[in-house]
Amino acid sequence: MKRKETTAKRTFSLQTKKALIAYSFLLIPVLFYLAIRIIPAFQAFLMSFTTSSSSAFTMDNYHKLINDEVFWKSVKNTILYVIIIVPLQMLFGLILALAIERMGGKLKWFYRIVFFLPYMTSIVAISWVWRLLYDPNSGILNEILVKLHLPTQEWLGSPSTALISISVVIIWQMMGFCMLLFTAGLQVIPRQYYEAADIDGASKWQTFWHITFPMLNPTIVFLAIIGVIQTLQTFTQIANLTGGSSGGGLGGPLNSTMSVVVYMYNEGFRQYNLHYAAASTVFLFILILIVTLIQFRTFNKSYKL
Amino acid sequence: MKKVFAMLFTLFIGSILLVACSSKDSKESKGNSEVTEITYWQYTFPTKVEQIDKIIADFEKENPDIKVVAQDFPYDQYQNKIFAAVEAGDRPDILNIYNGWISKYVDMDYIQPIREEFMSKEEISDYYVDMIQPYELDGEFYTLPVAVRSLALFWNKDMYKEAGLDPESPPKTWEELIENAKAMTEMTDDGRYKKEGFGWNAAGQGLHEFQQVLLRQYGVEPYSEDASKVLWNEKQEGYDAFKYWLDMTMVHKIGDPDVGNTYREAFLAGIAGMIVDGSFAVGDIQNASFDWGVTTLPVLEEGGLQSNYASYWTNAIAKGVEGKKLEASERFLAYLIQEDVQKDWLENVGELPASKALIADEELVNDPTYGPFIEGLDYAHATFFVNEDKERQIIIDGVDKIRLEDADYDETFDEIVTKIQEVRDEFFNKQ
């Protein structure tokens, strides 16, 4: 009896030891995460209820935010970015994945790399290259339009086309990433399903809708959620494609490309009103939370990330 | 499990303490009782950075008890760095800032007034050119500049020749500028610019060219004496000036903000015939591959009122610097603003001396490159900004509404004035 007890004790302490080792390995990342993410996020939340001149609780920042038309414009633009970018980057990614999958031989890899390259390239570098392509006076896009006898465009220079122009850059860059994940998703679909469908005489279209598409569902949900979160936070492309000497501040012309994050940046790091900027990040946090929850519910109830 | 958490917690607190202690130690061990170390911050403008390094080396030789550490940051991140450093309680001792930021920095409590014992208000007024005056805030001066800048008109002589114009006679009036620019502007059939005659832009120096040059030439005093009221649209002439300025791009089509990345780049690339820029642009432009000249800003009609816009980068001692560090900072500032240093500064950086006596120097006034800028200083005005960034954005947005959305000139002009007035009201009501 006694002997058994000691063994039990020893196993317990061994377990504790194991847990301790695991936790001590985790300690550094946990500390890092706490110090870099959690505590500042919490601080930002508290900051949004105070002003720089007093630490008393106030709703002033939110009041100002709700009454600022530029802020609402940035919210509208952010939603527009999501609506335009997310479905299109996934659609193009899927088309690319399916097209490349059908190709045989070594070229497959070549094409995969070609389409994935933009995703690996620095966003800043890409944005500046596109800025040159979009140049209304000397850019190659307008040159092509002229050759085709089509009217030239202002691209980033006009409030009516600037948001679309930025979306195109983001879609172009992200579709390679979607393609890669779809390719992985396609490869894990068991061949037997296709063989069975073949025997049953299903058309290609039927095979796609009844086998490929449902089997890709986890990938689609994942890409949709990641895509929406990323797009809601879009900053770098907007910051590098707009602003500078000709357009003034970021998010121009006339705030037509301003996203919530760019708005937050302008208020926090151009106007140096961190407390007010914090209020807009709290808003963004809530927006992302709501959208993600809705997505989880609508896309697939059984699928969990 | 509780035990594990207790341990984790102890470890967490322990490590924080450890970090806190070690950083304190390192700071204390740095401090040497003999030598006082002060930090000087500026944005990265290569010639200025080099020049400051040289000045510091000379200063340290004469003042072995002071060590100056100079740091510089890219322009677009510079204010963020200052802001983050001050908020984190780790600010530099001396800050080099733009005159347009002074009131914001005073308002945010970042900088301290120049002490009467160091340099009295009378001494400052006597020593410096008059444009420093508007920045006496609540009876105090907060900064001391080394150099000042004004605007002038650069023209590309090669483009003048190509367009059949006399390369040695730059425009004297705005009307001539428009005519010459029209002759140099080349467009494609579908209305895109191949070359622009004049680097028109509301951003950059454009807005200054409007508010301190054109408005005044039209007889409009842009701001009330205490700078609290925006008077641009007080008279019909203000609307006329605004229309005249915008018509350069809208009607006469002599230039557009979209040509080149900036007007200076467009000028350097040989696709802009004329630009208005500051003396600090000389450094870039002197490497141009074409023949160029520089002259004073145009007037409305020959013999008419001349006006110019002046600005400067200036040195402030941060709030909270005291004791030995304050004394060391003041000694460094005193060294920095000496006339000899200012002379070197012109030669190596291209900014004009801020001292009244130096700027009257015959040799300087007759210099073919710097002469026009120095002449411009005589009748230059510095704009008192309360929030330079915001005010600039309001003007750019207003101009864009007209350029891109065909908004009504007069209505937009009123809107710009109202918005800038709101920014100023917010500032002055706080005072």
Side-chain angles (χ1 to χ4, degrees):
Chain A
M1 226 16 204
K2 222 180 178 184
R3 211 172 164 185
K4 246 186 185 172
E5 257 174 34
T6 32
T7 349
K9 229 181 188 176
R10 205 180 290 152
T11 15
F12 180 69
S13 71
L14 195 69
Q15 270 177 353
T16 322
K17 257 189 206 162
K18 272 188 182 168
L20 266 181
I21 291 171
Y23 277 115
S24 54
F25 272 115
L26 276 175
L27 185 66
I28 292 169
V30 166
L31 276 182
F32 185 78
Y33 197 70
L34 268 177
I36 302 290
R37 291 265 170 148
I38 306 293
I39 297 173
F42 194 66
Q43 262 179 342
F45 183 74
L46 290 180
M47 258 174 93
S48 71
F49 292 105
T50 58
T51 61
S52 54
S53 48
S54 96
S55 54
F57 176 86
T58 170
M59 289 299 284
D60 280 3
N61 292 323
Y62 289 94
H63 194 251
K64 197 175 146 198
L65 198 66
I66 286 168
N67 289 310
D68 186 8
E69 50 180 289
V70 178
F71 173 70
W72 287 112
K73 181 143 198 185
S74 77
V75 173
K76 194 187 115 200
N77 288 342
T78 308
I79 294 169
L80 268 177
Y81 278 122
V82 172
I83 294 173
I84 296 171
I85 292 169
V86 180
L88 285 178
Q89 72 188 19
M90 285 168 63
L91 179 70
F92 289 130
L94 183 60
I95 293 172
L96 284 176
L98 289 169
I100 293 174
E101 196 62 24
R102 289 179 133 245
M103 285 197 300
K106 284 172 188 165
L107 273 181
K108 237 181 186 178
W109 283 107
F110 172 74
Y111 278 105
R112 266 182 205 151
I113 289 169
V114 165
F115 287 108
F116 191 62
L117 261 181
Y119 182 73
M120 297 195 299
T121 315
S122 142
I123 303 178
V124 177
I126 277 181
S127 303
W128 279 89
V129 171
W130 274 91
R131 207 172 159 145
L132 294 175
L133 298 179
Y134 277 140
D135 189 300
N137 292 301
S138 58
I140 197 159
L141 288 178
N142 268 353
E143 293 294 330
I144 293 171
L145 287 181
V146 169
K147 289 258 155 66
L148 297 174
H149 302 288
L150 290 169
T152 54
Q153 298 295 322
E154 280 287 319
W155 305 111
L156 296 163
S158 155
S160 53
T161 49
L163 190 134
I164 306 266
S165 303
I166 289 179
S167 303
V168 167
V169 178
I170 300 175
I171 293 169
W172 174 77
Q173 189 170 26
M174 282 305 293
M175 66 185 187
F177 176 71
C178 295
M179 173 205 71
L180 202 75
L181 288 197
F182 277 127
T183 307
L186 285 174
Q187 276 166 357
V188 294
I189 301 175
R191 296 293 112 191
Q192 292 93 310
Y193 293 155
Y194 290 110
E195 283 160 15
D198 210 20
I199 292 165
D200 288 344
S203 69
K204 283 205 171 121
W205 196 238
Q206 283 171 325
T207 317
F208 175 76
W209 277 116
H210 295 288
I211 300 172
T212 314
F213 195 71
M215 293 301 280
L216 281 176
N217 195 26
T219 316
I220 292 171
V221 175
F222 175 76
L223 282 177
I225 289 170
I226 293 293
V228 168
I229 293 175
Q230 268 182 356
T231 314
L232 285 173
Q233 299 178 351
T234 307
F235 175 78
T236 320
Q237 288 91 344
I238 304 171
N240 285 287
L241 283 164
T242 65
S245 61
S246 46
L250 309 181
L254 294 170
N255 304 321
S256 60
T257 60
M258 173 101 61
S259 71
V260 177
V261 183
V262 174
Y263 179 84
M264 185 269 298
Y265 177 82
N266 278 344
E267 288 300 327
F269 296 100
R270 297 256 156 168
Q271 296 304 322
Y272 304 102
N273 195 346
L274 277 189
H275 298 260
Y276 179 59
S280 61
T281 55
V282 171
F283 180 91
L284 183 68
F285 173 75
I286 296 169
L287 185 72
I288 293 179
L289 192 71
I290 293 172
V291 172
T292 312
L293 285 177
I294 294 173
Q295 277 185 310
F296 268 128
R297 290 201 157 251
T298 47
F299 272 117
N300 191 339
K301 277 181 186 160
S302 64
Y303 183 75
K304 286 193 176 80
L305 264 182
Chain B
M1 218 44 189
K2 259 186 184 171
K3 255 188 191 169
V4 177
F5 277 116
M7 256 180 121
L8 269 178
F9 186 70
T10 328
L11 264 171
F12 176 65
I13 298 294
S15 56
I16 285 178
L17 283 176
L18 215 73
V19 171
C21 291
S22 62
S23 67
K24 205 175 175 190
D25 281 352
S26 64
K27 252 188 192 162
E28 270 169 11
S29 61
K30 251 193 229 163
N32 186 323
S33 58
E34 305 262 309
V35 177
T36 312
E37 187 179 297
I38 53 170
T39 41
Y40 179 88
W41 274 20
Q42 63 182 328
Y43 86 94
T44 314
F45 192 89
T47 49
K48 278 194 193 180
V49 174
E50 264 170 52
Q51 188 64 12
I52 281 285
D53 284 347
K54 219 173 88 187
I55 295 168
I56 290 173
D58 294 343
F59 172 75
E60 284 177 349
K61 235 179 262 165
E62 285 178 32
N63 301 272
D65 57 330
I66 300 174
K67 182 170 163 44
V68 185
V69 179
Q71 285 177 305
D72 56 279
F73 307 93
Y75 179 75
D76 49 352
Q77 293 162 25
Y78 182 50
Q79 286 202 82
N80 291 350
K81 290 278 179 199
I82 295 177
F83 179 58
V86 175
E87 293 294 317
D90 197 18
R91 42 124 194 82
D93 299 300
I94 305 176
L95 293 162
N96 188 251
I97 58 173
Y98 181 59
N99 68 307
W101 306 343
I102 298 174
S103 26
K104 186 167 78 179
Y105 279 47
V106 170
D107 194 38
M108 294 198 298
D109 233 3
Y110 280 12
I111 55 180
Q112 56 175 301
I114 301 298
R115 291 192 312 146
E116 197 73 10
E117 303 89 82
F118 167 38
M119 200 168 177
S120 74
K121 270 168 263 170
E122 290 72 38
E123 281 172 316
I124 293 175
S125 303
D126 287 346
Y127 184 65
Y128 281 119
V129 286
D130 294 340
M131 50 176 278
I132 310 296
Q133 289 299 338
Y135 282 96
E136 188 181 335
L137 302 172
D138 307 328
E140 303 270 16
F141 283 105
Y142 284 81
T143 67
L144 299 172
V146 176
V148 293
R149 308 103 57 89
S150 63
L151 302 178
L153 183 78
F154 290 86
W155 83 99
N156 180 331
K157 293 185 182 175
D158 290 2
M159 273 179 77
Y160 258 68
K161 263 184 245 166
E162 260 172 56
L165 299 164
D166 176 8
E168 295 311 323
S169 56
K172 289 195 175 66
T173 65
W174 289 107
E175 237 14 77
E176 279 173 33
L177 177 133
I178 293 172
E179 287 314 310
N180 291 357
K182 271 185 184 167
M184 285 186 284
T185 304
E186 283 177 35
M187 285 215 184
T188 59
D189 298 337
D190 53 301
R192 289 177 301 136
Y193 282 90
K194 276 191 198 160
K195 283 182 181 176
E196 58 177 358
F198 178 59
W200 195 94
N201 199 335
Q205 302 299 333
L207 58 123
H208 308 305
E209 186 187 299
F210 169 69
Q211 51 178 312
Q212 292 294 5
V213 181
L214 268 174
L215 269 180
R216 284 180 188 274
Q217 289 176 344
Y218 265 84
V220 179
E221 183 81 24
Y223 301 98
S224 64
E225 211 165 309
D226 63 352
S228 68
K229 290 273 170 287
V230 187
L231 307 175
W232 302 3
N233 59 355
E234 282 291 287
K235 296 188 213 169
Q236 178 56 37
E237 284 82 354
Y239 295 92
D240 298 344
F242 186 64
K243 186 169 181 327
Y244 188 76
W245 181 48
L246 265 152
D247 276 350
M248 290 184 194
T249 178
M250 297 296 294
V251 177
H252 304 299
K253 299 205 178 301
I254 55 170
D256 186 90
D258 283 335
V259 180
N261 193 36
T262 64
Y263 50 80
R264 198 185 301 160
E265 281 170 43
F267 185 73
L268 281 168
I271 53 168
M274 292 175 276
I275 58 166
V276 168
D277 212 337
S279 44
F280 44 88
V282 171
D284 273 350
I285 291 174
Q286 65 194 5
N287 300 322
S289 54
F290 49 82
D291 217 6
W292 56 276
V294 56
T295 183
T296 49
L297 293 186
V299 289
L300 217 48
E301 54 216 2
E302 243 172 291
L305 179 80
Q306 290 185 298
S307 188
N308 204 310
Y309 167 71
S311 61
Y312 53 97
W313 282 81
T314 183
N315 306 294
I317 300 177
K319 187 97 176 204
V321 176
E322 49 191 21
K324 272 195 165 173
K325 288 214 174 206
L326 179 61
E327 194 208 315
S329 300
E330 285 176 347
R331 268 165 62 195
F332 180 62
L333 272 191
Y335 187 87
L336 199 58
I337 61 172
Q338 286 181 87
E339 292 198 341
D340 285 347
V341 173
Q342 293 192 15
K343 270 189 205 163
D344 268 4
W345 194 270
L346 172 72
E347 217 159 279
N348 300 325
V349 181
E351 289 184 325
L352 314 169
S355 133
K356 229 182 230 172
L358 269 185
I359 212 82
D361 186 80
E362 274 299 307
E363 203 186 321
L364 263 184
V365 177
N366 295 323
D367 186 277
T369 306
Y370 291 110
F373 293 101
I374 291 178
E375 197 191 320
L377 267 189
D378 272 350
Y379 42 79
H381 303 269
T383 308
F384 178 87
F385 290 107
V386 306
N387 188 334
E388 193 249 350
D389 208 55
K390 218 172 194 167
E391 293 175 50
R392 166 186 296 272
Q393 194 59 48
I394 291 169
I395 298 170
I396 292 171
D397 281 350
V399 166
D400 275 353
K401 267 192 186 167
I402 294 173
R403 278 181 54 230
L404 307 169
E405 294 183 337
D406 283 326
D408 182 73
Y409 278 50
D410 290 358
E411 269 171 36
T412 313
F413 190 51
D414 288 338
E415 202 181 294
I416 292 175
V417 174
T418 312
K419 282 189 177 163
I420 296 182
Q421 188 60 56
E422 277 168 18
V423 174
R424 293 199 171 223
D425 286 345
E426 199 183 321
F427 175 82
F428 284 101
N429 291 342
K430 243 195 262 173
Q431 296 283 297

